Amino acid sequence: MRNFFRAGARCARRRSGLATLALAAAIVTALPAGLAPARADEPYLVVVNDAPPFRIIENWGGDSGYAGAYIDTIFEIQRRTGIPLEFRHVPFARALAMMENGAADIMLGPNWSVERAAYMVYLDASFPAETKVFFAPDGGSDVESYQDLKSLRVGVLRAARYFEPFDSDDTIQKITFDTYRSAFVAARQGRVDVVIIPERQGKYLLRQFGWSFTASSFRVPGTPSFITISRKSNLIKKKAKIEDVMEQLNQEGFFARLLVTYLE
């Protein structure tokens, strides 16, 4: 799979959206067996968890607004294709479950795995890989090597995949959380020693909360993230149309400019 979102010039662009986007007319065609039908006025459901600067959930008086580099990208895809979308904020593990059972159509940013590929189609385009880092409260444990993890309690996001052999290593004490914020709170309270998280996401959250943590010496190269479609969704029929737009965005340097904006 190709990384379509390469570096581009800086810009000052940022979008936010409402929980339900304006609905555009959908083209209804005959569906292959096994795909869930959709009415002409039904939007496709995008499930997202709060993961700034990539997926940002903002609450205003009970309503939710959606922003972030990944979400702004799908907004632009919607604008150019006319495919109607709506968003739902759910924990990461629940988003995966909804994609597996066909309750959701699109997920933004999961890494590839054999298990997930059984129920999600990965579009032929990727977001840049994110380095994985272990963060500890200032003065806490520094992870200098993989072996150091054997004596630590590590906070992880439920259902997330980081790297091998870490993901399958049962000798490491991993404590799961529904959000990274909860994991960082646990670390501040001494209930976990370190939190593993994509580096830019970790720095963004810690800056937002004003908490003092230190990134570990040990870093792990990340793997690309993707836009995925549930194998039970009839949106698969529009896969090529979406990928054509993603190629256009690549040529325009769209995603890289967005990411720079959110990290300023």
Side-chain angles (χ1 to χ4, degrees):
M1 293 182 176
R2 295 168 290 169
N3 183 346
F4 281 147
F5 297 105
R6 58 180 179 268
R10 297 166 65 90
C11 76
R13 179 173 187 175
R14 176 169 179 170
R15 290 170 176 251
S16 63
L18 298 178
T20 302
L21 302 175
L23 302 183
I27 299 174
V28 179
T29 57
L31 300 177
L35 296 183
R39 296 192 308 270
D41 60 345
E42 274 190 340
Y44 294 97
L45 181 62
V46 184
V47 283
V48 293
N49 67 303
D50 190 44
F54 310 107
R55 301 178 297 273
I56 301 173
I57 316 300
E58 298 172 335
N59 295 313
W60 302 307
D63 292 328
S64 291
Y66 295 86
Y70 291 176
I71 292 177
D72 284 2
T73 299
I74 200 69
F75 281 164
E76 185 64 14
I77 291 171
Q78 178 196 231
R79 188 185 72 80
R80 297 192 189 195
T81 62
I83 295 173
L85 303 174
E86 67 176 348
F87 288 72
R88 185 176 303 169
H89 176 204
V90 298
F92 184 77
R94 189 182 305 168
L96 289 172
M98 292 175 71
M99 292 292 285
E100 184 172 11
N101 64 29
D105 301 288
I106 303 174
M107 189 171 177
L108 306 178
N111 298 132
W112 186 90
S113 73
V114 172
E115 176 189 2
R116 294 173 183 174
Y119 59 86
M120 296 192 295
V121 173
Y122 285 74
L123 299 189
D124 189 21
S126 65
F127 298 114
E130 295 295 324
T131 300
K132 305 299 190 298
V133 174
F134 297 86
F135 282 91
D138 286 354
S141 304
D142 181 29
V143 180
E144 297 181 348
S145 69
Y146 183 83
Q147 206 58 31
D148 291 342
L149 297 172
K150 304 288 186 177
S151 61
L152 300 176
R153 298 163 298 171
V154 183
V156 301
L157 185 68
R158 192 179 309 278
R161 298 288 182 269
Y162 296 100
F163 66 95
E164 288 295 343
F166 177 81
D167 292 335
S168 57
D169 192 339
D170 293 333
T171 67
I172 297 175
Q173 186 178 358
K174 289 170 268 192
I175 302 174
T176 58
F177 298 89
D178 286 331
T179 67
Y180 280 119
R181 183 184 189 282
S182 297
F184 279 127
V185 168
R188 297 182 75 220
Q189 295 173 343
R191 293 186 286 119
V192 300
D193 299 301
V194 294
V195 176
I196 182 173
I197 187 173
E199 184 173 18
R200 284 189 285 197
Q201 184 178 348
K203 289 180 176 179
Y204 188 102
L205 287 172
L206 292 171
R207 186 167 59 247
Q208 180 183 46
F209 301 140
W211 295 338
S212 295
F213 278 66
T214 302
S216 63
S217 304
F218 178 61
R219 296 163 182 264
V220 181
T223 57
S225 299
F226 295 85
I227 294 175
T228 60
I229 300 174
S230 170
R231 291 190 179 274
K232 295 185 177 180
S233 171
N234 70 336
L235 185 60
I236 290 176
K237 293 175 64 65
K238 302 179 187 292
K239 176 177 179 286
K241 186 176 184 178
I242 295 172
E243 288 178 331
D244 286 346
V245 170
M246 295 177 80
E247 174 62 14
Q248 295 171 13
L249 297 180
N250 164 63
Q251 294 177 8
E252 298 167 11
F254 179 87
F255 179 78
R257 294 198 304 270
L258 274 180
L259 192 56
V260 167
T261 299
Y262 278 106
L263 292 176
E264 285 181 340

